[in-house]
Amino acid sequence: MNTVRPIPEAGAPILDVERVRRDFPVLHQEVHGRPLVYLDNAATAQKPRAVIEAVDRFYRRDNANVHRGVHTLSQRATAAYEGARETVRRFLNAADPREIVFVRGATEGINLVAQSFVRPRLRPGDEILVTEMEHHANIVPWQMVCEATGARLRVVPIDERGALDLEAFHRLLGERTRFLAVVHVSNALGTINPVAEMVAAARARGIPTLVDGAQAVPHMAVDVQALGCDFYAFSGHKVFGPTGIGALYGRLEVLESMPPWQGGGDMIRVVTFERTEYHDVPHRFEAGTPHIAGAVGLAAAIEYLEGIGMERITAWEQTLLRHATARLAEVPGLRIIGTAPEKAAVISFVVEGIHAHDLGTILDHEGVAVRAGHHCTMPVMDHFGVPATARASFAFYNTLEEADRLVAALHRARELFGL
């Protein structure tokens, strides 16, 4: 076994991982008689005690509906909900809390933009530009609006490292392009895309943009004003918050140009049987009773991350990525899928002679939780000619020793298969 322990790069802030791990109760358990190694963070991240207690406290003390009640509990709940909006604004460095729309997750945020902003602006022959590494959530909504309008989807290819072909991107950004939707960090490959450069190129042509940030916000600081995008979507549960909550950032003037996409309570100002007058943004996009406790938990997650510092998180995860990549290279027959020069701490791989699903099952019996499958990125699997991969996705609470446990479990899998 490689006993060399990489150290963070000079100048990188140090993260006390063992102290951080004490904040996550779920990590301290055994699976199949072995200490849990949780490496499925790209699917969903674990929740710190601060989030669990914030949600618990809301339901125990403040639970009431928002915006409509004059009693104390409703006022507390409204303050917590709108306070969470301000926390998300600060997290993304949006200019105004009205630019933050609470949604169920990145998927709903993308669908909102597709139906409310993009679809009314499309004509037959128009084009929407995406990349070959998109999650299905950033493919299917655009296919749906294309089918409804006669527009077509254009796809920026990736190379054999899983990096975008930027020359092809600039060629495809043409006269018929009406919208650019691009993932910030690939959930299947770990590739970090140069979204600022891509957004700038689109803006130079007057093309609006959306960035799918579901896999970026857990790993790095995001500044939507610096990126210059019109929309940015992410999910709460991938950033250590509750499930069923997420946020869509939209530039204020763009959101104000959009009609509601769902009708119901709380998104209206006046309703008669003849007509309805809608609320201002962002409330016109939040029909019905929102996920109030989810927003409270999301704010707690963001405040927890801010307490640690995203720079410190990024530095530690890059150390984990370098160490795990080097150790996995020692496993005979293992091939990493996705070797772009700019990566987050996500490593997909295949092992010759073992299907990814069998690999996932064996690793689970060794106490190591990884994802196995197509990761809702079937075009990526087609590109690399594999039906599925195993994926180890790291968070800041993972350790170098856990990466070593992954490698030891892979050697065990090869032994079981007689390789």
Side-chain angles (χ1 to χ4, degrees), residues 58 61-65 70-79:
F58 173 79
R61 179 178 180 270
D62 300 328
N63 181 49
N65 215 324
V70 296
H71 58 81
T72 300
L73 266 61
S74 180
Q75 292 178 16
R76 282 188 206 152
T78 300

Side-chain angles (χ1 to χ4, degrees), residues 342-392:
E342 297 294 331
K343 282 189 62 173
V346 175
I347 307 177
S348 283
F349 56 89
V350 294
V351 175
E352 187 177 357
I354 310 177
H355 192 279
H357 288 162
D358 293 329
L359 206 53
T361 301
I362 295 169
L363 294 183
D364 177 58
H365 280 265
E366 295 295 316
V368 180
V370 299
R371 194 72 158 189
H374 54 64
H375 317 300
C376 295
T377 57
M378 296 178 82
V380 171
M381 300 299 114
D382 291 342
H383 177 91
F384 287 97
V386 296
T389 71
R391 182 187 68 191

Side-chain angles (χ1 to χ4, degrees), residues 321-336:
L321 175 65
R322 290 192 297 272
H323 178 75
T325 301
R327 292 299 322 279
L328 288 170
E330 300 170 3
V331 179
L334 185 145
R335 177 165 65 103
I336 292 177

Side-chain angles (χ1 to χ4, degrees), residues 267-282:
M267 49 78 72
I268 53 84
R269 184 173 288 125
V270 176
V271 173
T272 68
F273 281 111
E274 287 72 36
R275 60 182 289 274
T276 295
E277 182 180 332
Y278 302 119
H279 253 313
D280 295 331
V281 298

Side-chain angles (χ1 to χ4, degrees), residues 87-247:
T87 301
V88 175
R89 182 210 65 76
R90 185 179 68 233
F91 186 55
L92 297 179
N93 194 33
D96 192 301
R98 292 175 293 173
E99 295 180 322
I100 304 300
V101 180
F102 283 121
V103 288
R104 286 187 298 159
T107 297
E108 185 173 75
I110 294 169
N111 275 276
L112 191 166
V113 175
Q115 295 299 326
S116 178
F117 181 75
V118 177
R119 179 172 173 168
R121 290 167 169 77
L122 290 182
R123 299 291 181 271
D126 288 345
E127 296 175 355
I128 297 173
L129 194 57
V130 297
T131 80
E132 196 178 3
M133 71 176 77
E134 301 301 329
H135 187 283
H136 295 167
N138 203 28
I139 298 174
V140 179
W142 309 118
Q143 289 177 329
M144 293 169 73
V145 296
C146 285
E147 289 171 3
T149 62
R152 67 170 179 160
L153 202 63
R154 302 297 300 275
V155 181
V156 182
I158 57 177
D159 63 22
E160 291 312 303
R161 303 170 301 168
L164 273 185
D165 182 341
L166 286 175
E167 290 185 6
F169 163 71
H170 288 287
R171 285 198 306 274
L172 288 166
L173 203 63
E175 295 299 320
R176 306 308 301 266
T177 308
R178 296 292 178 267
F179 198 73
L180 168 66
V182 57
V183 67
H184 198 165
V185 173
S186 164
N187 71 309
L189 304 170
T191 304
I192 301 174
N193 284 319
V195 291
E197 174 185 341
M198 299 173 76
V199 168
R203 290 192 69 177
R205 289 175 169 267
I207 299 167
T209 56
L210 176 143
V211 178
D212 174 1
Q215 300 293 338
V217 290
H219 302 294
M220 64 185 73
V222 170
D223 183 333
V224 291
Q225 294 189 74
L227 291 177
C229 56
D230 293 286
F231 301 99
Y232 195 98
F234 74 91
S235 299
H237 72 102
K238 288 184 168 67
V239 71
F240 314 98
T243 56
I245 187 72

